[in-house]
Protein backbone atom coordinates (compact mmCIF):
# COMPACT_ATOMS: atom_id res chain seq x y z
CA UNK A 1 0.00 0.00 0.00
CA UNK A 2 1.51 3.36 -1.05
CA UNK A 3 1.40 6.52 1.09
CA UNK A 4 -1.56 8.00 -0.80
CA UNK A 5 -3.70 4.89 -0.25
CA UNK A 6 -2.59 4.68 3.38
CA UNK A 7 -3.47 8.35 3.90
CA UNK A 8 -6.95 7.79 2.44
CA UNK A 9 -7.54 4.76 4.66
CA UNK A 10 -6.33 6.67 7.71
CA UNK A 11 -8.63 9.58 6.87
CA UNK A 12 -11.71 7.34 6.93
CA UNK A 13 -10.73 5.72 10.23
CA UNK A 14 -9.78 8.96 11.93
CA UNK A 15 -13.01 10.69 10.94
CA UNK A 16 -15.07 7.77 12.19
CA UNK A 17 -13.24 7.29 15.48
CA UNK A 18 -11.90 10.70 16.45
CA UNK A 19 -14.21 13.40 15.09
CA UNK A 20 -17.07 12.59 17.55
CA UNK A 21 -14.59 12.46 20.44
CA UNK A 22 -13.08 15.83 19.57
CA UNK A 23 -16.57 17.32 19.38
CA UNK A 24 -17.50 15.81 22.75
CA UNK A 25 -14.56 17.54 24.43
CA UNK A 26 -15.04 20.85 22.57
CA UNK A 27 -11.83 20.48 20.57
CA UNK A 28 -11.14 21.46 16.99
CA UNK A 29 -10.91 18.52 14.62
CA UNK A 30 -10.20 20.76 11.62
CA UNK A 31 -6.41 20.56 11.90
CA UNK A 32 -6.32 16.77 11.69
CA UNK A 33 -8.92 16.68 8.95
CA UNK A 34 -7.02 19.28 6.92
CA UNK A 35 -3.74 17.38 7.18
CA UNK A 36 -5.37 14.22 5.84
CA UNK A 37 -7.12 15.86 2.91
CA UNK A 38 -4.39 17.07 0.61
CA UNK A 39 -0.84 16.79 -0.63
CA UNK A 40 2.45 17.54 1.21
CA UNK A 41 3.08 21.22 1.92
CA UNK A 42 6.21 23.36 2.23
CA UNK A 43 5.59 26.68 4.01
CA UNK A 44 8.04 29.50 3.31
CA UNK A 45 8.09 32.41 5.75
CA UNK A 46 10.41 35.32 6.48
CA UNK A 47 10.63 39.09 6.53
CA UNK A 48 10.09 41.22 3.45
CA UNK A 49 13.06 41.01 1.06
CA UNK A 50 14.35 37.79 2.60
CA UNK A 51 14.37 36.01 -0.77
CA UNK A 52 11.23 33.88 -0.41
CA UNK A 53 9.90 34.59 -3.90
CA UNK A 54 13.32 34.21 -5.48
CA UNK A 55 13.74 30.77 -3.94
CA UNK A 56 10.26 29.70 -5.04
CA UNK A 57 10.86 30.84 -8.62
CA UNK A 58 14.11 28.90 -8.68
CA UNK A 59 12.44 25.76 -7.29
CA UNK A 60 9.61 25.70 -9.84
CA UNK A 61 11.72 26.98 -12.73
CA UNK A 62 9.32 29.84 -13.48
CA UNK A 63 8.94 33.48 -12.51
CA UNK A 64 5.69 32.76 -10.73
CA UNK A 65 6.21 35.16 -7.80
CA UNK A 66 7.21 38.80 -8.01
CA UNK A 67 10.57 39.62 -6.46
CA UNK A 68 12.12 42.77 -5.08
CA UNK A 69 13.54 44.37 -1.96
CA UNK A 70 10.35 46.30 -1.28
CA UNK A 71 7.16 44.48 -0.19
CA UNK A 72 5.77 42.86 -3.33
CA UNK A 73 2.98 40.60 -2.08
CA UNK A 74 0.89 40.59 1.09
CA UNK A 75 -1.00 37.36 0.39
CA UNK A 76 -0.65 33.72 1.30
CA UNK A 77 -0.08 32.15 -2.11
CA UNK A 78 -0.50 28.40 -2.49
CA UNK A 79 1.49 27.21 -5.52
CA UNK A 80 0.94 23.73 -6.89
CA UNK A 81 0.38 21.72 -10.05
CA UNK A 82 -2.53 19.52 -11.09
CA UNK A 83 -2.95 17.45 -14.27
CA UNK A 84 -4.52 19.40 -17.11
CA UNK A 85 -4.43 22.73 -15.28
CA UNK A 86 -2.03 25.54 -16.16
CA UNK A 87 -1.82 29.19 -15.14
CA UNK A 88 -5.02 29.13 -13.11
CA UNK A 89 -5.44 31.43 -10.12
CA UNK A 90 -8.17 30.64 -7.58
CA UNK A 91 -9.28 33.19 -4.96
CA UNK A 92 -9.47 32.48 -1.26
CA UNK A 93 -13.26 32.64 -1.20
CA UNK A 94 -13.35 29.57 -3.43
CA UNK A 95 -10.56 27.74 -1.59
CA UNK A 96 -12.13 27.97 1.88
CA UNK A 97 -15.44 26.64 0.56
CA UNK A 98 -13.99 23.66 -1.33
CA UNK A 99 -14.48 20.57 0.84
CA UNK A 100 -11.77 18.73 -1.09
CA UNK A 101 -9.15 21.25 0.03
CA UNK A 102 -7.77 21.69 3.56
CA UNK A 103 -8.41 25.42 3.94
CA UNK A 104 -11.98 25.53 5.25
CA UNK A 105 -10.96 26.27 8.85
CA UNK A 106 -9.39 29.58 7.74
CA UNK A 107 -12.91 31.02 7.49
CA UNK A 108 -12.74 31.78 11.20
CA UNK A 109 -10.14 34.50 10.55
CA UNK A 110 -12.61 36.56 8.53
CA UNK A 111 -12.95 38.14 5.13
CA UNK A 112 -9.76 40.17 5.38
CA UNK A 113 -7.64 37.03 5.44
CA UNK A 114 -9.76 35.21 2.85
CA UNK A 115 -9.18 38.09 0.43
CA UNK A 116 -5.44 37.61 1.00
CA UNK A 117 -5.29 33.92 0.14
CA UNK A 118 -5.04 32.53 -3.38
CA UNK A 119 -3.91 29.42 -5.21
CA UNK A 120 -1.77 29.39 -8.34
CA UNK A 121 -1.79 26.19 -10.37
CA UNK A 122 1.05 25.98 -12.86
CA UNK A 123 2.63 23.35 -15.07
CA UNK A 124 5.48 22.06 -12.92
CA UNK A 125 6.51 18.40 -12.48
CA UNK A 126 8.01 19.25 -9.08
CA UNK A 127 4.66 20.43 -7.72
CA UNK A 128 2.50 17.55 -8.92
CA UNK A 129 2.93 15.81 -5.55
CA UNK A 130 3.40 18.81 -3.27
CA UNK A 131 2.50 22.46 -2.74
CA UNK A 132 4.53 25.49 -1.73
CA UNK A 133 2.95 28.28 0.31
CA UNK A 134 4.47 31.73 0.01
CA UNK A 135 3.57 34.07 2.87
CA UNK A 136 3.41 37.84 3.49
CA UNK A 137 6.66 39.24 4.82
CA UNK A 138 7.06 39.53 8.56
CA UNK A 139 7.21 43.01 10.01
CA UNK A 140 8.57 44.95 12.98
CA UNK A 141 6.45 46.23 15.84
CA UNK A 142 7.67 49.72 14.97
CA UNK A 143 6.38 49.50 11.40
CA UNK A 144 3.42 47.23 12.05
CA UNK A 145 0.17 48.06 10.36
CA UNK A 146 -3.23 46.53 10.85
CA UNK A 147 -3.43 43.46 8.63
CA UNK A 148 -7.06 42.92 9.60
CA UNK A 149 -6.39 39.39 10.92
CA UNK A 150 -4.15 37.69 13.46
CA UNK A 151 -1.04 37.01 11.39
CA UNK A 152 0.68 34.82 13.97
CA UNK A 153 -2.36 32.59 14.45
CA UNK A 154 -2.68 32.18 10.68
CA UNK A 155 1.01 31.27 10.43
CA UNK A 156 0.39 28.74 13.19
CA UNK A 157 -2.48 27.14 11.26
CA UNK A 158 -0.39 26.84 8.10
CA UNK A 159 2.54 25.52 10.17
CA UNK A 160 0.34 22.72 11.54
CA UNK A 161 -0.39 21.64 7.96
CA UNK A 162 3.18 21.93 6.69
CA UNK A 163 5.63 19.07 6.29
CA UNK A 164 8.53 21.53 6.06
CA UNK A 165 8.79 25.15 7.18
CA UNK A 166 11.50 27.24 5.55
CA UNK A 167 12.23 30.34 7.65
CA UNK A 168 14.32 32.83 5.69
CA UNK A 169 16.50 35.75 6.76
CA UNK A 170 18.50 38.23 4.75
CA UNK A 171 21.91 39.56 5.81
CA UNK A 172 20.56 43.10 6.30
CA UNK A 173 17.94 42.07 8.91
CA UNK A 174 19.54 39.01 10.42
CA UNK A 175 16.83 37.86 12.79
CA UNK A 176 15.84 41.28 14.10
CA UNK A 177 12.18 41.28 12.99
CA UNK A 178 9.70 41.09 15.89
CA UNK A 179 7.36 38.67 14.11
CA UNK A 180 10.32 36.39 13.42
CA UNK A 181 10.99 36.31 17.14
CA UNK A 182 7.35 35.53 17.92
CA UNK A 183 7.28 32.78 15.31
CA UNK A 184 10.46 31.05 16.49
CA UNK A 185 9.89 31.54 20.21
CA UNK A 186 6.20 30.69 20.45
CA UNK A 187 4.13 29.94 17.35
CA UNK A 188 6.21 27.34 15.51
CA UNK A 189 7.24 25.23 18.54
CA UNK A 190 3.61 25.10 19.66
CA UNK A 191 2.05 24.32 16.30
CA UNK A 192 4.75 22.24 14.62
CA UNK A 193 8.02 20.55 15.57
CA UNK A 194 11.62 21.78 15.50
CA UNK A 195 12.60 18.99 13.13
CA UNK A 196 10.25 20.45 10.50
CA UNK A 197 11.86 23.91 10.53
CA UNK A 198 14.71 24.84 8.20
CA UNK A 199 16.56 28.10 8.82
CA UNK A 200 18.00 29.88 5.79
CA UNK A 201 20.18 32.94 5.35
CA UNK A 202 19.63 34.11 1.80
CA UNK A 203 21.07 36.80 -0.48
CA UNK A 204 24.54 36.14 0.86
CA UNK A 205 25.94 37.29 -2.47
CA UNK A 206 25.01 40.84 -1.41
CA UNK A 207 27.62 40.83 1.34
CA UNK A 208 30.45 43.12 0.24
CA UNK A 209 33.22 40.88 1.52
CA UNK A 210 34.00 37.97 3.83
CA UNK A 211 34.07 40.26 6.87
CA UNK A 212 30.61 41.59 6.03
CA UNK A 213 29.27 38.05 5.61
CA UNK A 214 30.85 36.87 8.87
CA UNK A 215 29.36 39.81 10.75
CA UNK A 216 25.84 39.15 9.34
CA UNK A 217 26.08 35.41 9.97
CA UNK A 218 27.33 35.96 13.52
CA UNK A 219 24.51 38.41 14.20
CA UNK A 220 21.96 35.87 12.97
CA UNK A 221 23.46 33.12 15.14
CA UNK A 222 23.36 35.39 18.19
CA UNK A 223 19.76 36.38 17.53
CA UNK A 224 18.82 32.74 16.93
CA UNK A 225 20.21 31.79 20.35
CA UNK A 226 18.02 34.48 21.92
CA UNK A 227 14.93 33.51 19.96
CA UNK A 228 15.18 29.75 20.46
CA UNK A 229 16.41 29.95 24.04
CA UNK A 230 18.92 27.23 23.20
CA UNK A 231 22.69 27.21 23.53
CA UNK A 232 23.15 25.03 20.46
CA UNK A 233 22.38 26.85 17.22
CA UNK A 234 20.44 24.86 14.59
CA UNK A 235 22.00 24.52 11.16
CA UNK A 236 21.50 27.63 9.06
CA UNK A 237 21.48 26.97 5.32
CA UNK A 238 23.06 29.55 3.03
CA UNK A 239 21.69 30.45 -0.36
CA UNK A 240 21.84 33.07 -3.09
CA UNK A 241 20.39 33.69 -6.51
CA UNK A 242 22.66 32.08 -9.13
CA UNK A 243 21.38 34.60 -11.66
CA UNK A 244 22.65 37.50 -9.57
CA UNK A 245 26.26 36.45 -9.16
CA UNK A 246 28.96 35.30 -11.54
CA UNK A 247 30.05 31.69 -11.20
CA UNK A 248 33.68 32.68 -10.53
CA UNK A 249 32.57 34.99 -7.71
CA UNK A 250 30.88 32.24 -5.72
CA UNK A 251 32.66 31.28 -2.53
CA UNK A 252 33.68 27.68 -1.98
CA UNK A 253 30.85 25.68 -0.43
CA UNK A 254 28.03 28.02 -1.47
CA UNK A 255 26.76 25.86 -4.36
CA UNK A 256 26.68 22.81 -2.08
CA UNK A 257 24.72 24.75 0.55
CA UNK A 258 22.15 25.75 -2.07
CA UNK A 259 21.91 22.18 -3.33
CA UNK A 260 21.48 20.79 0.20
CA UNK A 261 18.63 23.23 0.83
CA UNK A 262 16.89 22.37 -2.42
CA UNK A 263 17.22 18.64 -1.72
CA UNK A 264 15.81 19.18 1.76
CA UNK A 265 12.74 20.83 0.27
CA UNK A 266 12.37 18.17 -2.44
CA UNK A 267 12.38 15.41 0.20
CA UNK A 268 9.55 16.98 2.21
CA UNK A 269 6.80 14.79 0.65
CA UNK A 270 8.60 11.66 1.88
CA UNK A 271 7.91 12.63 5.49
CA UNK A 272 4.21 13.28 4.96
CA UNK A 273 2.81 10.15 6.61
CA UNK A 274 5.19 10.42 9.55
CA UNK A 275 4.12 14.00 10.10
CA UNK A 276 0.42 13.16 9.84
CA UNK A 277 0.81 10.44 12.46
CA UNK A 278 2.86 12.77 14.68
CA UNK A 279 0.13 15.41 14.49
CA UNK A 280 -2.61 12.89 15.21
CA UNK A 281 -0.58 11.46 18.10
CA UNK A 282 -0.01 14.93 19.57
CA UNK A 283 -3.62 16.06 19.25
CA UNK A 284 -5.09 12.79 20.53
CA UNK A 285 -2.78 13.04 23.57
CA UNK A 286 -4.16 16.54 24.07
CA UNK A 287 -7.76 15.35 23.96
CA UNK A 288 -6.80 12.40 26.17
CA UNK A 289 -5.59 14.59 29.04
CA UNK A 290 -8.76 16.68 28.76
CA UNK A 291 -10.82 13.48 28.82
CA UNK A 292 -8.89 12.20 31.83
CA UNK A 293 -9.49 15.43 33.74
CA UNK A 294 -13.19 15.45 32.85
CA UNK A 295 -13.49 11.76 33.72
CA UNK A 296 -11.77 12.29 37.07
CA UNK A 297 -14.13 15.13 37.96
CA UNK A 298 -17.21 13.16 36.93
CA UNK A 299 -16.00 10.15 38.90
CA UNK A 300 -15.73 12.30 42.03
CA UNK A 301 -19.10 13.91 41.34
CA UNK A 302 -20.64 10.48 40.78
CA UNK A 303 -19.39 9.15 44.12
CA UNK A 304 -20.79 12.18 45.93
CA UNK A 305 -24.05 11.82 43.98
CA UNK A 306 -24.64 8.27 45.21
CA UNK A 307 -23.80 9.21 48.79
CA UNK A 308 -26.18 12.14 48.53
CA UNK A 309 -28.81 9.96 46.80
CA UNK A 310 -28.63 7.28 49.49
CA UNK A 311 -29.12 9.85 52.24
CA UNK A 312 -31.99 11.46 50.31
CA UNK A 313 -33.64 8.09 49.69
CA UNK A 314 -33.27 7.23 53.37
CA UNK A 315 -34.95 10.49 54.41
CA UNK A 316 -37.66 9.98 51.79
CA UNK A 317 -38.37 6.48 53.14
CA UNK A 318 -38.56 7.76 56.73
CA UNK A 319 -40.95 10.54 55.70
CA UNK A 320 -43.01 8.11 53.65
CA UNK A 321 -43.49 5.88 56.71
CA UNK A 322 -43.60 8.43 59.52
CA UNK A 323 -43.95 11.91 58.01
CA UNK A 324 -47.72 11.89 58.25
CA UNK A 325 -47.41 11.18 61.99
CA UNK A 326 -45.60 14.53 62.41
CA UNK A 327 -48.26 16.29 60.35
CA UNK A 328 -51.04 14.61 62.30
CA UNK A 329 -49.46 15.59 65.61
CA UNK A 330 -49.01 19.25 64.66
CA UNK A 331 -51.86 19.93 62.24
CA UNK A 332 -54.21 16.95 62.88
CA UNK A 333 -53.88 15.91 59.22
CA UNK A 334 -54.35 13.41 57.84
CA UNK A 335 -57.13 11.87 59.89
CA UNK A 336 -55.42 8.47 59.88
CA UNK A 337 -51.69 7.87 59.50
CA UNK A 338 -50.14 5.23 57.28
CA UNK A 339 -48.83 3.21 60.21
CA UNK A 340 -52.23 3.31 61.94
CA UNK A 341 -53.95 2.17 58.74
CA UNK A 342 -51.52 -0.71 58.34
CA UNK A 343 -52.01 -1.83 61.94
CA UNK A 344 -55.79 -1.63 61.70
CA UNK A 345 -55.92 -3.26 58.29
CA UNK A 346 -57.91 -0.30 56.94
CA UNK A 347 -55.36 1.07 54.43
CA UNK A 348 -56.94 2.61 51.36
CA UNK A 349 -55.23 4.18 48.29
CA UNK A 350 -56.06 7.65 49.55
CA UNK A 351 -54.02 6.91 52.65
CA UNK A 352 -50.88 6.79 50.53
CA UNK A 353 -51.30 10.30 49.13
CA UNK A 354 -49.69 12.27 51.97
CA UNK A 355 -46.76 9.82 52.49
CA UNK A 356 -46.13 9.73 48.75
CA UNK A 357 -46.20 13.52 48.48
CA UNK A 358 -43.75 13.88 51.38
CA UNK A 359 -41.39 11.32 49.85
CA UNK A 360 -41.63 12.93 46.41
CA UNK A 361 -40.96 16.41 47.78
CA UNK A 362 -37.90 15.02 49.57
CA UNK A 363 -36.58 13.49 46.38
CA UNK A 364 -37.19 16.71 44.44
CA UNK A 365 -35.46 18.74 47.13
CA UNK A 366 -32.53 16.34 47.07
CA UNK A 367 -32.28 16.54 43.29
CA UNK A 368 -32.43 20.33 43.39
CA UNK A 369 -29.87 20.50 46.18
CA UNK A 370 -27.39 18.29 44.34
CA UNK A 371 -27.75 19.94 40.93
CA UNK A 372 -27.87 23.55 42.16
CA UNK A 373 -25.63 23.45 45.22
CA UNK A 374 -23.49 20.32 45.56
CA UNK A 375 -22.51 19.81 41.89
CA UNK A 376 -21.51 23.47 41.32
CA UNK A 377 -19.52 23.37 44.54
CA UNK A 378 -17.67 20.24 43.39
CA UNK A 379 -16.97 21.93 40.07
CA UNK A 380 -15.59 25.05 41.76
CA UNK A 381 -13.23 22.88 43.78
CA UNK A 382 -12.10 21.06 40.63
CA UNK A 383 -11.50 24.35 38.82
CA UNK A 384 -9.48 25.67 41.76
CA UNK A 385 -7.27 22.56 41.84
CA UNK A 386 -7.43 21.38 38.24
CA UNK A 387 -4.01 19.72 38.27
CA UNK A 388 -5.23 17.29 40.90
CA UNK A 389 -7.60 15.78 38.34
CA UNK A 390 -4.81 14.13 36.34
CA UNK A 391 -1.54 12.36 36.98
CA UNK A 392 1.38 14.68 36.18
CA UNK A 393 4.35 12.40 36.75
CA UNK A 394 6.75 13.63 34.06
CA UNK A 395 7.74 16.78 32.17
CA UNK A 396 5.78 15.81 29.07
CA UNK A 397 2.56 15.48 31.07
CA UNK A 398 3.24 18.78 32.85
CA UNK A 399 3.72 20.62 29.57
CA UNK A 400 0.65 18.94 28.12
CA UNK A 401 -1.40 20.02 31.12
CA UNK A 402 -0.21 23.64 30.86
CA UNK A 403 -1.26 23.68 27.23
CA UNK A 404 -4.68 22.08 27.78
CA UNK A 405 -5.67 23.49 31.18
CA UNK A 406 -7.86 26.18 29.63
CA UNK A 407 -9.65 23.54 27.54
CA UNK A 408 -10.29 21.49 30.69
CA UNK A 409 -11.79 24.56 32.35
CA UNK A 410 -13.98 25.16 29.31
CA UNK A 411 -15.29 21.59 29.48
CA UNK A 412 -15.92 21.69 33.23
CA UNK A 413 -17.73 25.02 33.02
CA UNK A 414 -20.02 23.59 30.37
CA UNK A 415 -20.96 20.49 32.36
CA UNK A 416 -24.20 19.72 34.19
CA UNK A 417 -25.52 16.87 36.32
CA UNK A 418 -26.84 15.17 33.16
CA UNK A 419 -23.23 14.59 32.10
CA UNK A 420 -22.87 12.02 34.88
CA UNK A 421 -24.69 9.63 32.54
CA UNK A 422 -23.34 10.91 29.19
CA UNK A 423 -20.87 8.06 28.62
CA UNK A 424 -17.64 9.97 29.22
CA UNK A 425 -15.98 6.84 30.57
CA UNK A 426 -16.57 5.01 27.29
CA UNK A 427 -15.22 8.01 25.38
CA UNK A 428 -11.96 7.94 27.33
CA UNK A 429 -11.66 4.20 26.69
CA UNK A 430 -12.04 4.80 22.95
CA UNK A 431 -9.32 7.47 23.04
CA UNK A 432 -6.97 5.12 24.90
CA UNK A 433 -7.73 2.32 22.45
CA UNK A 434 -6.93 4.55 19.46
CA UNK A 435 -3.57 5.57 20.92
CA UNK A 436 -2.57 2.10 22.08
CA UNK A 437 -3.81 0.10 19.11
CA UNK A 438 -4.88 1.98 15.97
CA UNK A 439 -2.08 4.54 15.91
CA UNK A 440 0.63 1.95 16.59
CA UNK A 441 -0.72 -0.15 13.74
CA UNK A 442 -0.30 2.73 11.28
CA UNK A 443 3.20 3.50 12.53
CA UNK A 444 4.07 -0.14 11.84
CA UNK A 445 2.66 0.15 8.31
CA UNK A 446 4.83 3.10 7.33
CA UNK A 447 7.93 1.45 8.83
CA UNK A 448 7.29 -1.71 6.85
Amino acid sequence: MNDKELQKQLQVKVRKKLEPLFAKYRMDFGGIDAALKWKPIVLIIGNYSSGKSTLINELVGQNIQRTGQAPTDDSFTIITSDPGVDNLETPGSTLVNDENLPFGHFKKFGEKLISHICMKQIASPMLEHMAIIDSPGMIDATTEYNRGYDYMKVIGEFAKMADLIVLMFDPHKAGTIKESYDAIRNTLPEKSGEHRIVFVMSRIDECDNLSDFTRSYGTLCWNMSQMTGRKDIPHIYLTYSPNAVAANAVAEGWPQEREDLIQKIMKAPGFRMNHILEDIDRQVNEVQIVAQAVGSFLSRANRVFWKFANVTLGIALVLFLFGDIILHTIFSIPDTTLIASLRGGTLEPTGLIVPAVLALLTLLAGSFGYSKIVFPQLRRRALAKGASLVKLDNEYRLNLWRKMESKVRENLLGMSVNDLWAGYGRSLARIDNFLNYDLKKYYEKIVN
Side-chain angles (χ1 to χ4, degrees):
M1 184 182 296
N2 59 40
D3 281 358
K4 191 172 182 180
E5 292 171 338
L6 188 61
Q7 183 173 325
K8 187 68 176 177
Q9 184 189 90
L10 182 60
Q11 182 180 20
V12 173
K13 183 176 285 290
V14 163
R15 279 183 175 172
K16 179 181 178 181
K17 291 199 169 188
L18 295 184
E19 190 170 12
L21 295 172
F22 273 64
K24 192 177 189 74
Y25 292 99
R26 304 165 187 260
M27 294 186 64
D28 181 21
F29 183 71
I32 290 180
D33 193 46
L36 288 163
K37 273 185 177 180
W38 209 41
K39 57 179 71 176
I41 292 172
V42 174
L43 173 64
I44 300 184
I45 58 179
N47 59 276
Y48 286 113
S49 74
S50 61
K52 301 189 302 295
S53 297
T54 300
L55 176 62
I56 291 170
N57 291 343
E58 182 181 350
L59 288 168
V60 302
Q62 301 180 37
N63 290 323
I64 189 68
Q65 293 293 86
R66 290 179 299 166
T67 61
Q69 295 193 14
T72 56
D73 197 347
D74 64 348
S75 294
F76 288 91
T77 306
I78 303 143
I79 307 164
T80 190
S81 181
D82 292 298
V85 181
D86 188 16
N87 294 324
L88 176 66
E89 187 165 328
T90 306
S93 57
T94 300
L95 298 180
V96 298
N97 288 294
D98 190 335
E99 293 185 356
N100 296 314
L101 295 174
F103 308 112
H105 59 296
F106 286 97
K107 287 182 184 178
K108 64 185 178 184
F109 294 102
E111 290 299 323
K112 191 69 173 179
L113 172 65
I114 293 172
S115 66
H116 286 78
I117 297 178
C118 70
M119 178 187 285
K120 292 181 180 180
Q121 290 165 283
I122 62 174
S124 170
M126 176 212 173
L127 296 179
E128 288 179 0
H129 303 293
M130 65 183 292
I132 296 175
I133 299 180
D134 193 6
S135 60
M138 294 180 175
I139 51 181
D140 277 312
T142 54
T143 60
E144 188 169 0
Y145 60 90
N146 183 14
R147 298 181 191 267
Y149 60 88
D150 192 320
Y151 175 79
M152 273 298 132
K153 286 187 177 179
V154 174
I155 285 291
E157 290 298 313
F158 278 115
K160 282 199 299 186
M161 300 165 58
D163 298 285
L164 188 71
I165 301 165
V166 180
L167 180 52
M168 301 188 70
F169 305 92
D170 71 80
H172 311 296
K173 301 184 186 72
T176 59
I177 301 298
K178 180 184 182 299
E179 288 185 336
S180 297
Y181 177 90
D182 291 340
I184 295 172
R185 189 72 171 182
N186 302 309
T187 303
L188 298 182
E190 179 182 344
K191 299 297 183 180
S192 184
E194 291 186 9
H195 61 292
R196 299 191 200 183
I197 306 172
V198 173
F199 300 98
V200 179
M201 184 173 176
S202 66
R203 297 171 56 189
I204 55 176
D205 53 294
E206 296 179 13
C207 296
D208 294 331
N209 48 51
L210 181 60
S211 176
D212 188 25
F213 166 77
T214 303
R215 182 168 54 253
S216 294
Y217 188 81
T219 300
L220 178 56
C221 289
W222 167 255
N223 287 328
M224 287 286 291
S225 69
Q226 303 305 301
M227 289 187 283
T228 60
R230 293 167 44 185
K231 293 181 179 179
D232 56 317
I233 305 301
H235 180 76
I236 301 172
Y237 289 85
L238 305 175
T239 190
Y240 59 94
S241 174
N243 297 325
V245 58
N248 58 3
V250 175
E252 183 180 356
W254 283 11
Q256 187 60 50
E257 279 285 322
R258 285 184 64 255
E259 183 60 27
D260 290 346
L261 172 62
I262 291 170
Q263 288 302 312
K264 184 83 172 179
I265 294 172
M266 297 292 285
K267 290 177 180 177
F271 300 105
R272 178 65 166 173
M273 279 305 303
N274 267 306
H275 291 164
I276 287 174
L277 293 178
E278 284 176 6
D279 288 338
I280 292 173
D281 195 354
R282 173 177 55 81
Q283 293 188 60
V284 175
N285 272 282
E286 291 172 358
V287 76
Q288 183 191 47
I289 200 168
V290 174
Q292 288 171 344
V294 168
S296 178
F297 164 70
L298 290 176
S299 179
R300 294 179 186 179
N302 192 59
R303 289 195 298 271
V304 174
F305 171 82
W306 285 113
K307 289 179 182 179
F308 195 86
N310 287 333
V311 171
T312 302
L313 286 169
I315 296 172
L317 180 59
V318 170
L319 289 177
F320 179 80
L321 294 173
F322 307 108
D324 57 353
I325 296 175
I326 299 173
L327 291 176
H328 182 77
T329 302
I330 299 174
F331 302 108
S332 299
I333 56 171
D335 294 333
T336 304
T337 65
L338 177 63
I339 296 298
S341 298
L342 290 172
R343 285 177 176 176
T346 59
L347 179 64
E348 295 182 1
T350 54
L352 295 173
I353 293 176
V354 172
V357 169
L358 290 172
L360 180 60
L361 289 174
T362 303
L363 294 174
L364 289 174
S367 175
F368 181 85
Y370 182 83
S371 62
K372 300 300 182 182
I373 300 173
V374 177
F375 187 85
Q377 189 176 59
L378 291 171
R379 182 169 55 196
R380 283 194 294 271
R381 290 176 184 171
L383 289 169
K385 298 181 179 180
S388 66
L389 295 171
V390 292
K391 188 176 182 180
L392 304 175
D393 53 353
N394 56 56
E395 192 66 26
Y396 173 76
R397 294 277 293 179
L398 281 169
N399 290 332
L400 195 59
W401 170 254
R402 294 186 189 109
K403 183 177 180 181
M404 303 310 298
E405 185 176 7
S406 62
K407 184 60 65 174
V408 170
R409 292 183 63 85
E410 179 186 338
N411 274 267
L412 294 183
L413 288 169
M415 306 203 84
S416 68
V417 175
N418 292 334
D419 289 309
L420 291 173
W421 303 278
Y424 278 90
R426 293 191 299 274
S427 297
L428 178 57
R430 287 198 288 269
I431 293 169
D432 293 341
N433 182 69
F434 185 89
L435 283 171
N436 297 327
Y437 176 72
D438 294 299
L439 201 59
K440 285 184 178 180
K441 185 171 67 174
Y442 278 98
Y443 271 119
E444 290 170 0
K445 285 184 178 181
I446 64 172
V447 169
N448 297 330

